[in-house]
């Protein structure tokens, strides 16, 4: 998984996004704190590489990772893996300054996202069966 690989040296074609600076605190819990994902997307769309730093981030949750960096439920098809080819993201997006268990969670979240994107209707059906028919409305 290249997202955790050491990034290339920073150049003018690289944007580093400090998650804790963007969200204004160090608790990476709430999916609503995903403003940094918009900055990643903007950088990638403008042809720059994006480095997302989790330095000083605490309590990084799967919901924060899934909704903020990958899924962004507020924006239809707004998640990075729907907007950009996987190969492009592996070349141009890096996550740094993660504890080993958080890095593992990020890798797992990315795999879940790719699985979801391969058959969204199956995932939605499973969610409705588990949480009720109105879950995705």
């Amino acid at each position: 998984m290249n997202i955790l690989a050491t990034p290339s040296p920073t150049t003018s074609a690289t944007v580093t996004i400090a998650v804790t600076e963007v969200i204004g605190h160090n608790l990476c819990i709430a999916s609503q704190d995903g403003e940094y994902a918009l900055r990643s997307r903007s950088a990638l769309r403008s042809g720059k590489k994006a480095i997302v730093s989790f330095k000083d981030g605490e309590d990084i949750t799967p919901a924060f990772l899934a909704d903020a960096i990958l899924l962004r439920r507020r924006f239809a098809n707004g998640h990075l893996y729907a907007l950009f080819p996987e190969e492009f993201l592996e070349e141009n997006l890096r996550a740094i300054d993660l504890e080993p268990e958080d890095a593992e969670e990020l890798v797992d979240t990315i795999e879940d996202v790719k699985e979801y994107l391969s058959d969204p209707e199956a995932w939605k059906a499973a969610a409705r069966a588990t949480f009720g028919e109105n879950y995705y409305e």
Side-chain angles (χ1 to χ4, degrees):
M1 179 57 56
N2 286 343
I3 194 166
L4 298 172
T6 303
S8 305
T10 304
T11 68
S12 60
T14 305
V15 174
T16 300
I17 299 129
V19 172
T20 56
E21 289 177 21
V22 174
I23 65 176
H25 53 82
N26 63 347
L27 295 176
C28 301
I29 298 171
S31 60
Q32 297 87 343
D33 283 336
E35 179 66 28
Y36 74 91
L38 297 176
R39 293 185 186 194
S40 299
R41 194 165 55 210
S42 294
L44 294 168
R45 280 190 173 151
S46 69
K48 296 185 178 186
K49 293 181 184 246
I51 299 172
V52 180
S53 171
F54 289 87
K55 186 177 180 183
D56 298 325
E58 295 181 13
D59 300 324
I60 300 171
T61 66
F64 181 84
L65 292 171
D67 284 351
I69 197 168
L70 300 168
L71 286 175
R72 291 295 294 179
R73 287 185 186 150
R74 291 186 200 133
F75 303 99
N77 297 318
H79 40 81
L80 296 177
Y81 277 82
L83 292 171
F84 303 101
E86 180 177 354
E87 299 79 22
F88 176 84
L89 291 174
E90 288 187 3
E91 179 68 28
N92 294 290
L93 179 65
R94 295 289 181 271
I96 61 171
D97 303 321
L98 284 161
E99 295 295 326
E101 60 273 4
D102 295 327
E104 185 176 321
E105 188 64 52
L106 176 61
V107 170
D108 290 345
T109 301
I110 290 170
E111 291 306 313
D112 288 345
V113 166
K114 290 192 284 188
E115 189 176 326
Y116 168 83
L117 289 172
S118 71
D119 191 357
E121 291 309 313
W123 278 69
K124 290 176 184 178
R128 284 187 189 108
T130 303
F131 301 112
E133 285 299 317
N134 297 327
Y135 185 72
Y136 273 97
E137 292 180 7

